[in-house]
Amino acid sequence: MTGKNDEEAVDRNNEDEGCGSCIGGLIWVISMLLICCTFPFSLFVTVKQVQEYQRAVIFHLGRVKRGGAVGPGLFFIIPCMDTIQVVDLRTVSFDVPPQEILTKDSVTVAVDAVVYYKINNPLSAICNVTNAAQSTRLLAATSLRNTLGTKTLQDILADREDIAKTILGTLDSATDPWGIRVERVEVKDVRLPQQLQRAMAAEAEASRQARAKVIEAEGEQKASRALKEASDIISSSPAALQLRYLQTLS
């Protein structure tokens, strides 16, 4: 039964291909007649141009044309049969909106980032994903939340470069089937709640005051040690004591 079903499927595919070829040939003949009849005005719709930083993916009766993406420069299309989609190959940057993230130590922070990417395979960017730019934005926001959710607040504040590299690797591997290469990820800002900012500021102020008291105590200790040494020297020599007394009087 399976072999018979496969044979029937192959026969139907062959019939569909034969029918498509006949209709495609008819459309091609009609299109060429129209192009010839309206020449040279038909050049405005049959000759297309893409820039150095662009590539054009041509669909011939719904199928990708052989040879892959074309460009840069001029190329010829048949208006009734071919449709084109132009892809920009330049590096694109976008901001990841601030994400409210609960860290591993149960602190809520708002983190935003910037991502740089470019399309290195126009065919995959058109055929494998509906909207490559929007999909990359959504994936970047999700990767940022998932990565920072496993970090403590201290790790987020101290290891931004390592976090950015982790997000970069996750994005690059996920967007590879879409023909996109993520070039760089940077964590821009980490915003803490106001209550936590006040607590951290109070802790830092207390730490500075403690260091100041320690420095003051060390200074007094050194001064008392110097006074003790001076008193020992003066007490050991009556002449020195008399000279110190006369210096005080003067």
Side-chain angles (χ1 to χ4, degrees), residues 64-82:
V64 177
K65 196 171 182 179
R66 293 181 181 178
V70 297
L74 299 174
F75 57 92
F76 181 83
I77 66 169
I78 301 175
C80 299
M81 303 182 68
D82 297 336

Side-chain angles (χ1 to χ4, degrees), residues 71 79-81 92 113-114 149 187 199 222:
C80 299
M81 303 182 68
V92 179
V114 59
V187 178
K222 291 179 180 178

Side-chain angles (χ1 to χ4, degrees), residues 24 28 58-66 78 81-83:
W28 183 85
I58 302 177
F59 292 90
H60 184 76
L61 292 178
R63 296 184 178 182
V64 177
K65 196 171 182 179
R66 293 181 181 178
I78 301 175
M81 303 182 68
D82 297 336
T83 57

Side-chain angles (χ1 to χ4, degrees), residues 14 41 55 64 75 110 114 116 149 152 166 196 216:
N14 292 334
F41 301 103
R55 297 294 183 270
V64 177
F75 57 92
V114 59
Y116 299 86
T152 63
T166 302
L196 182 59
E216 184 180 0

Side-chain angles (χ1 to χ4, degrees), residues 14-208:
N14 292 334
E15 292 177 0
D16 293 340
E17 290 180 358
C19 181
S21 300
C22 294
I23 296 176
L26 180 61
I27 295 175
W28 183 85
V29 172
I30 296 174
S31 300
M32 295 306 295
L33 289 175
L34 292 175
I35 292 172
C36 294
C37 293
T38 57
F39 187 83
F41 301 103
S42 59
L43 294 177
F44 291 101
V45 294
T46 57
V47 177
K48 300 295 181 180
Q49 174 186 348
V50 292
Q51 304 297 330
E52 181 69 29
Y53 53 83
Q54 295 175 327
R55 297 294 183 270
V57 179
I58 302 177
F59 292 90
H60 184 76
L61 292 178
R63 296 184 178 182
V64 177
K65 196 171 182 179
R66 293 181 181 178
V70 297
L74 299 174
F75 57 92
F76 181 83
I77 66 169
I78 301 175
C80 299
M81 303 182 68
D82 297 336
T83 57
I84 63 172
Q85 292 193 22
V86 179
V87 178
D88 196 323
L89 301 184
R90 293 177 292 183
T91 298
V92 179
S93 63
F94 65 87
D95 291 325
V96 179
Q99 304 292 313
E100 293 287 340
I101 299 169
L102 183 65
T103 63
K104 189 176 181 180
D105 50 353
S106 301
V107 178
T108 302
V109 295
V111 184
D112 57 355
V114 59
V115 178
Y116 299 86
Y117 75 93
K118 67 184 302 182
I119 295 175
N120 59 0
N121 190 335
L123 286 179
S124 298
I126 295 296
C127 299
N128 293 350
V129 63
T130 302
N131 189 329
Q134 182 65 18
S135 300
T136 304
R137 291 173 183 269
L138 295 175
L139 185 60
T142 304
S143 300
L144 180 64
R145 295 176 65 90
N146 292 340
T147 302
L148 296 184
T150 61
K151 304 290 184 180
T152 63
L153 178 61
Q154 183 63 30
D155 294 337
I156 294 175
L157 295 177
D159 299 331
R160 292 193 181 187
E161 293 185 0
D162 294 337
I163 292 173
K165 290 179 180 179
T166 302
I167 298 174
L168 174 62
T170 302
L171 282 177
D172 196 31
S173 60
T175 57
D176 187 64
W178 303 343
I180 293 176
R181 180 168 63 89
V182 180
E183 297 180 330
R184 189 169 183 175
V185 176
E186 293 291 342
V187 178
K188 291 174 58 178
D189 189 20
V190 179
R191 289 190 289 275
L192 305 177
Q194 292 294 331
Q195 184 178 0
L196 182 59
Q197 291 182 20
R198 289 193 294 268
M200 294 178 68
E203 181 182 358
E205 181 66 22
S207 178
R208 286 193 295 269

